[in-house]
Amino acid sequence: MALNRNHVAMFALVAVSCFVVGCSARADENERGADLYRLCAACHGESAAGYEAVGAPAIAGLPQWYLEAQLKQFRDGTRGTHFDDIMGMRMRPMARMLMRDGDVEAVSAHVAAMPVARPAPSLTGGDADNGKAIYTATCVACHGADGVGNQGMLGAAPLNHSSDWYLFRQVENFRAGVRGARAGDQGGALMRPMVLQLADEQAIKDVVAYIMTLAN
Amino acid sequence: MIDRYVETLSTYAKDIDNLILLIGVLVGFWFILCEVIFFYFIIHFRAKDGKRAEYISGEEKSHKRWISAPHLLVLVCDVFIVVGAVKVWYEVKQQLPEPYETVRIVGQQWAWSFVHPGADHELGTADDIKTVDELHVEVGKVYHFKLEARDVIHSFSVPVFRLKQDAIPGRVITGWFEPTGTGTYDIQCAEICGIGHGVMVARIVIESPERHAAWVAEQSPITLAAANRP
């Protein structure tokens, strides 16, 4: 059947309609993400740059897969259900407020699209040169030489967008079993023996100091 | 009557319900009576053709009686309420029956966490069981709780127990309850404590002695450590 002008016009109309509907759905999702983020902004800040006083890390520009994974872990209790995880317990009910299908994805996409706002370092006493040696020996295989993380490596976290105080606290949490010790937390199970290789608090500070030198 | 809507599952829950009913009935009676009289006066003394609405200054004895007589009757009702309230306060708050166990309850933004004493029934020992979001207790046993707050003021509320106790940072507040039935019920925070207050919920699991003993054995850190040992 030869295409006449009417067929072409109809095809164009259908194509334009699909495009408009697709754009509208995407716009709705973006709007939903922005709307949901208003809840997060109370602690993480309008620009998602974090707020140390309430234990809320910088999250702007983190990869969507990582944000989704963490929100799901908070929701299902893999994170934020240890007696000593004070900040995690503060986060968990917030994640549980994302109740509708697609909420986690929408808010994660919104945060991932925000410009990275790396906060100024607040930890002191770290030796980045020594930290580089530790990072290369212990962390690089999963988190990568530039600290961007690796979804395929059991969701190894991106580190180069994080606040130094947050990294320090998480390493301590992994060492103490406050994080990563729940049954089924495969990434945590892999991470815990790694952080136990850091000899002491100074070693943690060193490696965090090095991570902070990794450019975004 | 109230238990038609929320179960009563502690030894003192019915006493508190009765007190609420007593207050509700007395206050409700006076409220309805006052409103009826109030609207009757508004309608009866309204402006009519050839007659202005009356203004009463309330200085005459016959007028004052409308205030003083109900006032005295309300004071009599107050006596009943105060006697009932003091009785419940004394029995629930001033007395601490000998405990079977003591549990530690910690409120924080925005979660409840608990320390159970474990098989030795003693807090502060190696077999203490720490949980978040779930408090496990045995039916028919008196529990003391040591209530703490990590950050701001919270209020530990178990509706089926009719228990509500503020948790104040820097203080350890002691209270008690004795569950009278099994099941899983809500724990809430009853004091506005920040953006997550509305979702600061947990569950209390009231178990039979056998089931509770099995849970304690299963969750004991000593058991868990042995299970994880290679």
Side-chain angles (χ1 to χ4, degrees):
Chain A
M1 188 178 70
L3 284 177
N4 61 28
R5 193 178 292 172
N6 285 345
H7 285 121
V8 172
M10 192 176 292
F11 178 76
L13 186 65
V14 169
V16 168
S17 302
C18 290
F19 179 74
V20 169
V21 169
C23 286
S24 162
R26 176 54 63 93
D28 284 351
E29 191 180 317
N30 287 344
E31 209 171 287
R32 177 88 187 129
D35 194 35
L36 288 167
Y37 184 74
R38 285 163 53 200
L39 176 70
C40 321
C43 294
H44 291 280
E46 291 294 334
S47 58
Y51 187 29
E52 185 178 355
V54 295
I59 52 173
L62 286 173
Q64 187 174 343
W65 62 263
Y66 178 73
L67 293 163
E68 284 181 15
Q70 297 312 302
L71 283 170
K72 285 173 182 168
Q73 285 199 351
F74 277 116
R75 283 209 318 188
D76 68 21
T78 307
R79 276 189 81 176
T81 51
H82 189 283
F83 187 85
D84 295 317
D85 188 3
I86 294 171
M87 298 310 162
M89 279 195 273
R90 189 173 284 172
M91 179 61 202
R92 185 161 183 252
M94 299 294 108
R96 291 169 88 182
M97 286 170 87
L98 303 171
M99 288 181 280
R100 281 168 37 181
D101 286 347
D103 278 358
V104 167
E105 290 76 10
V107 76
S108 299
H110 176 76
V111 174
M114 294 170 90
V116 171
R118 190 168 181 171
S122 61
L123 273 183
T124 54
D127 177 351
D129 290 335
N130 188 42
K132 183 178 182 181
I134 299 170
Y135 186 87
T136 307
T138 314
C139 320
V140 77
C142 295
H143 294 280
D146 45 8
V148 294
N150 186 346
Q151 184 179 9
M153 189 61 79
L154 295 177
L159 308 174
N160 58 340
H161 289 179
S162 296
S163 322
D164 58 356
W165 61 265
Y166 177 73
L167 292 172
F168 183 82
R169 186 174 295 171
Q170 293 311 305
V171 171
E172 286 199 318
N173 282 349
F174 276 116
R175 283 167 65 93
V178 170
R179 185 176 170 187
R182 289 272 172 224
D185 184 359
Q186 293 178 314
L190 186 63
M191 182 68 186
R192 290 203 63 214
M194 293 295 116
V195 295
L196 288 171
Q197 292 182 33
L198 305 180
D200 51 23
E201 187 181 311
Q202 185 58 49
I204 304 173
K205 281 186 175 176
D206 292 350
V207 79
V208 169
Y210 173 67
I211 291 168
M212 294 305 284
T213 67
L214 300 174
N216 290 309
Chain B
M1 187 175 168
I2 297 173
D3 60 6
R4 284 177 61 188
Y5 305 100
V6 185
E7 285 177 79
T8 49
L9 281 174
S10 73
T11 47
Y12 50 66
K14 280 205 161 46
D15 296 336
I16 290 173
D17 277 4
N18 290 338
L19 180 61
I20 291 170
L21 269 180
L22 175 72
I23 295 170
V25 167
L26 291 177
V27 172
F29 168 77
W30 284 108
F31 174 76
I32 291 166
L33 185 66
C34 288
E35 292 302 306
V36 168
I37 292 172
F38 181 63
F39 280 99
Y40 170 76
F41 282 173
I42 288 174
I43 294 163
H44 189 75
F45 294 107
R46 73 187 186 280
K48 293 172 189 159
D49 289 341
K51 190 182 177 189
R52 295 179 64 192
E54 283 187 50
Y55 174 75
I56 295 168
S57 63
E59 288 166 10
E60 292 176 28
K61 256 188 177 174
S62 61
H63 294 161
K64 283 182 188 171
R65 265 190 227 123
W66 284 96
I67 301 297
S68 54
H71 187 194
L72 284 171
L73 292 170
V74 166
L75 284 177
V76 172
C77 292
D78 277 352
V79 172
F80 283 99
I81 290 174
V82 168
V83 168
V86 167
K87 181 174 175 291
V88 170
W89 178 265
Y90 177 74
E91 287 169 358
V92 177
K93 295 286 188 182
Q94 296 296 309
Q95 289 191 334
L96 274 175
E98 198 59 30
Y100 167 69
E101 271 184 359
T102 300
V103 291
R104 193 174 148 219
I105 301 171
V106 183
Q108 71 145 79
Q109 290 176 321
W110 293 279
W112 292 106
S113 39
F114 308 95
V115 183
H116 306 74
D120 65 358
H121 306 293
E122 289 287 332
L123 274 180
T125 55
D127 72 343
D128 286 0
I129 301 168
K130 295 179 176 178
T131 58
V132 174
D133 292 346
E134 250 186 35
L135 171 62
H136 284 252
V137 295
E138 191 176 320
V139 67
K141 296 286 196 309
V142 174
Y143 282 84
H144 282 191
F145 60 79
K146 301 283 182 187
L147 182 60
E148 303 162 33
R150 274 176 166 154
D151 36 40
V152 298
I153 297 177
H154 301 278
S155 184
F156 180 71
S157 165
V158 185
V160 291
F161 287 176
R162 307 297 191 266
L163 166 61
K164 196 178 283 178
Q165 174 62 59
D166 280 2
I168 298 165
R171 286 182 60 187
V172 179
I173 296 171
T174 304
W176 70 281
F177 57 81
E178 182 181 345
T180 55
T182 56
T184 303
Y185 299 92
D186 288 339
I187 293 171
Q188 307 167 331
C189 178
E191 179 70 45
I192 299 282
C193 58
I195 193 168
H197 165 70
V199 286
M200 187 173 163
V201 292
R203 304 286 272 169
I204 183 164
V205 184
I206 310 167
E207 299 161 316
S208 63
E210 301 75 30
R211 207 176 169 86
H212 186 67
W215 181 83
V216 169
E218 185 186 308
Q219 295 297 321
S220 163
I222 296 165
T223 314
L224 293 175
N228 290 333
R229 203 170 291 139

